[in-house]
Amino acid sequence: MKNLISNTATIASLATGYLMGWRPAAGLGWVVIVVLLDVFLGWAISWIFAFYGLIAKSTTMVESISLMTMLILIFLSNAFVPVKTLPNFMKVVVHLNPVTYVISASRTMLNQGIWSNEAWIVFGAGVLIIAIFGPLTVLVYNHKS
């Protein structure tokens, strides 16, 4: 069910952007690649939250921490405001934020149609997260059952 909701949200977001006049310069193929990269990273990050869900005391705490973490990461990134307009201390935070790389990679692919260094960083981060938290989560799950 979550995949259906996620796919519906992706299609609704893309359709809304298109209806508002957004046209990716790189074409539909790059839109598909960006969606796949972003979904891959979201799946990778879900391993972190699954691990936390197994060791946390309550589901409410997991939900709260997950939502708070994602909101902080999104709002302290370059998603809404150009980095050059931020005060210096905020620029440091934004450049350390992994979501900034996701946004930059997505924008570069959609506007220029190239697989940038940021895209490699995002892909590598996803692989690294899965390599660490995938086995760790499965180990904790098997230990609890």
Side-chain angles (χ1 to χ4, degrees):
M1 185 65 170
K2 279 188 175 184
N3 286 338
L4 178 63
I5 292 170
S6 177
N7 293 337
T8 304
T10 301
I11 292 168
S13 297
L14 292 171
T16 301
Y18 187 81
L19 290 173
M20 292 175 65
W22 172 70
R23 303 291 185 270
L28 183 62
W30 283 100
V31 171
V32 171
I33 291 170
V34 167
V35 167
L36 290 174
L37 181 65
D38 293 348
V39 167
F40 169 72
L41 187 68
W43 176 67
I45 291 171
S46 72
W47 280 102
I48 297 171
F49 294 132
F51 173 75
Y52 184 66
L54 288 170
I55 62 172
K57 302 274 186 219
S58 72
T59 56
T60 306
M61 180 180 272
V62 174
E63 186 177 339
S64 298
I65 295 291
S66 301
L67 181 62
M68 212 168 36
T69 302
M70 292 310 296
L71 286 175
I72 289 169
L73 287 173
I74 291 168
F75 284 110
L76 292 178
S77 74
N78 64 345
F80 302 112
V81 179
V83 178
K84 65 183 176 187
T85 64
L86 296 173
N88 288 334
F89 75 94
M90 285 298 295
K91 286 180 185 177
V92 172
V93 172
V94 169
H95 285 300
L96 292 173
N97 185 344
V99 173
T100 297
Y101 292 99
V102 177
I103 300 298
S104 295
S106 298
R107 286 180 180 156
T108 300
M109 286 190 279
L110 292 172
N111 291 329
Q112 299 171 14
I114 60 170
W115 185 269
S116 64
N117 288 338
E118 288 92 354
W120 283 116
I121 291 169
V122 170
F123 182 74
V127 169
L128 184 65
I129 290 168
I130 293 167
I132 294 169
F133 284 94
L136 196 58
T137 303
V138 171
L139 181 70
V140 170
Y141 177 78
N142 286 336
H143 225 27
K144 284 191 155 211
S145 57

